[in-house]
Amino acid sequence: MNKLKSRKILLLPGDGIGPEVVREVKKIIEWFNKNKSLDFSFEEELIGGASIDANKIPITDEVFYKSLESDAVILGACGGPKWDNLEFSKRPERALLKLRKELKLFANLRPAICFKQLVDSSSLKPEIVSGLDIMIVRELTGGIYFGEPRGIEPIENNQRRGINTHSYTTSEIQRIARVAFDLAKKRKNKVTSCEKSNVMEAGVLWREEVQALKDKEYKKVELNHMLADNCAMQLLRNPKQFDIILADNLFGDMLSDEAAMLTGSLGLLPSASLGSRDKKGKIRSLYEPVHGSAPDIAGKNIANPIATILSLSMALRYSLDLAKEADLLDVSVQKVLDEGLRTKDIMSVGKKEVTTTDMGDAIISKLK
Ligand code: IPM
Ligand code: MG
């Protein structure tokens, strides 16, 4: 068998359930190295609260540079109640935002797929969600998360004012819209772009620029515009009308949590954050489950590792050029669900409840 050249994966387990779910990913990477003659080298580093505890900052320069040099970064989760009272700029989440911004990971892909085995785990009726397959394309390095000016300032009468700025430029809008249109061609060729053009100028610009790009370069893609609040409502009323949802950083954050929950559990959904391809064809990337650190269940070996395992599968597909291995991993997850194995979050009558570790082991046994 030909040994592929070594590729560097950086594991950043982070906080809460992060270390437990990333541990299962590590086992799978080791399995691929051993059984598929792959040659991943991987390192593990601290991020978020774990890094604050050890180094007093959410991400060290050393870890940041390692992220820059990796072929793919896989992150567990950042944050938790222990660090909630820290000053804003020192919180665990800043590490994640720094990585997104400085690695220029402007495109966040968040698939929301309702697995047939888990239709009953959704809080919506089975006929509304069965077969659901949405891709949310969220802009990740602009908008109100990063706009200036920002801050909290004192004003008259002992009051204070909190300020954030929402802004987008033509090129920021068009580069994320391009990602959505390119993906659409490989799917059902339909993009729904969301904004609040009824109340925000930046929303008007968003709508105009997305439309202009479509008219110029993507004539065959079906494009609809929808106000973001209506989209939130339509996701509950009739989610299967959507194929790709394109949204800015803030609306994309909210709509992706909502779409995730349609599928039954946040514990199932992976995500990929991608930059542009460089001259050598390399793409900067970070993969993480959509769920957070879930401190309430941390350390109990009950978290669902599937979202993080499917994030590895996205890494194989988008960053490491290993589509076959990605397919193998996806199929293995399906097989385990077919057999009725469930972590607590997706448990239902007649199924077998398993731990985080058991779920990882079961998925590995299906790779064989
Ligand atoms: C997400 C999270 C993050 C965000 C937080 C942890 C900073 O909610 O990835 O969706 O708001 O983007
Ligand atoms: Mg979020």
Side-chain angles (χ1 to χ4, degrees):
M1 261 181 275
N2 68 329
K3 201 126 176 143
L4 289 163
K5 76 171 175 24
S6 173
R7 252 90 50 95
K8 278 192 247 163
I9 301 183
L10 181 65
L11 300 175
L12 300 174
D15 306 321
I17 59 172
E20 292 162 74
V21 292
V22 170
R23 191 175 307 135
E24 300 313 305
V25 160
K26 200 158 91 184
K27 277 157 49 179
I28 295 174
I29 297 173
E30 281 164 346
W31 186 91
F32 274 115
N33 274 351
K34 191 155 168 249
N35 296 284
K36 290 277 161 194
S37 290
L38 296 178
D39 188 18
F40 295 124
S41 66
F42 58 90
E43 276 187 271
E44 202 174 311
E45 292 292 349
L46 299 176
I47 195 166
S51 173
I52 293 174
D53 289 351
N55 311 307
K56 301 197 166 60
I57 43 174
I59 181 167
T60 61
D61 286 346
E62 191 196 341
V63 174
F64 175 71
Y65 286 112
K66 273 191 187 167
S67 313
L68 273 177
E69 282 159 16
S70 308
D71 292 291
V73 180
I74 298 183
L75 186 139
C78 284
K82 184 174 173 195
W83 307 281
D84 270 355
N85 294 326
L86 288 178
E87 179 197 313
F88 199 65
S89 62
K90 300 192 172 128
R91 291 172 61 103
E93 292 84 352
R94 298 315 298 176
L96 181 56
L97 295 173
K98 176 173 173 164
L99 281 179
R100 288 175 180 172
K101 187 70 178 175
E102 311 234 338
L103 300 187
K104 301 190 174 66
L105 308 173
F106 66 91
N108 185 212
L109 312 185
R110 299 192 157 183
I113 296 171
C114 185
F115 295 142
K116 61 180 188 310
Q117 303 92 334
L118 299 174
V119 169
D120 293 324
S121 306
S122 175
S123 47
L124 266 68
K125 294 193 193 100
E127 62 270 27
I128 305 278
V129 293
S130 79
L132 183 77
D133 180 356
I134 297 176
M135 177 68 89
I136 302 213
V137 177
R138 169 189 176 194
E139 201 291 327
L140 205 58
T141 52
I144 202 154
Y145 273 52
F146 296 99
E148 300 280 348
R150 64 186 299 154
I152 299 177
E153 61 180 27
I155 53 171
E156 65 280 3
N157 298 329
N158 250 343
Q159 299 207 20
R160 295 183 302 159
R161 173 170 36 215
I163 305 158
N164 289 93
T165 304
H166 177 75
S167 96
Y168 272 107
T169 61
T170 297
S171 60
E172 285 175 318
I173 298 168
Q174 293 207 339
R175 76 176 171 181
I176 189 69
R178 187 165 272 120
V179 171
F181 289 138
D182 285 336
L183 264 177
K185 289 192 207 156
K186 298 180 198 152
R187 297 174 49 99
K188 293 184 202 128
N189 216 26
K190 185 175 168 189
V191 173
T192 306
S193 170
C194 295
E195 25 60 16
K196 284 285 287 175
S197 56
N198 54 343
V199 287
M200 293 162 68
E201 285 81 358
V204 173
L205 186 77
W206 183 280
R207 182 179 282 227
E208 289 176 359
E209 296 296 356
V210 172
Q211 185 66 47
L213 182 68
K214 179 220 137 74
D215 293 343
K216 198 163 155 234
E217 291 178 37
Y218 296 92
K219 294 200 173 64
K220 289 196 180 127
V221 177
E222 179 186 342
L223 170 66
N224 299 296
H225 301 280
M226 196 178 265
L227 297 176
D229 53 345
N230 184 26
C231 180
M233 186 272 278
Q234 295 293 339
L235 270 173
L236 296 181
R237 196 184 72 86
N238 176 19
K240 282 189 264 180
Q241 69 184 285
F242 297 109
D243 180 26
I244 289 182
I245 295 177
L246 167 64
D248 72 21
N249 206 344
L250 181 62
F251 294 140
D253 180 41
M254 294 191 276
L255 293 172
S256 61
D257 265 29
E258 189 188 354
M261 210 48 219
L262 299 175
T263 70
S265 170
L266 265 176
L268 297 167
L269 297 185
S271 80
S273 304
L274 308 173
S276 309
R277 226 167 257 290
D278 68 14
K279 284 185 194 114
K280 289 184 195 147
K282 186 170 158 178
I283 195 163
R284 287 244 159 78
S285 55
L286 181 137
Y287 298 85
E288 53 177 323
V290 170
H291 63 68
S293 58
D296 50 322
I297 59 163
K300 297 184 178 159
N301 199 22
I302 57 173
N304 190 343
I306 292 182
T308 316
I309 291 173
L310 293 177
S311 299
L312 171 64
S313 153
M314 290 185 94
L316 295 169
R317 206 178 292 287
Y318 293 110
S319 293
L320 303 164
D321 218 7
L322 292 167
K324 258 200 222 146
E325 283 73 7
D327 289 342
L328 174 65
L329 191 50
D330 289 350
V331 169
S332 304
V333 169
Q334 294 297 322
K335 282 186 183 160
V336 166
L337 294 175
D338 282 338
E339 282 181 1
L341 268 53
R342 302 284 187 270
T343 41
K344 202 179 182 71
D345 55 311
I346 48 174
M347 183 57 191
S348 61
V349 186
K351 305 297 178 197
K352 181 166 186 254
E353 191 170 321
V354 298
T355 63
T356 310
T357 325
D358 292 341
M359 185 55 101
D361 289 342
I363 292 169
I364 290 174
S365 76
K366 299 295 173 211
L367 291 169
K368 290 174 184 155

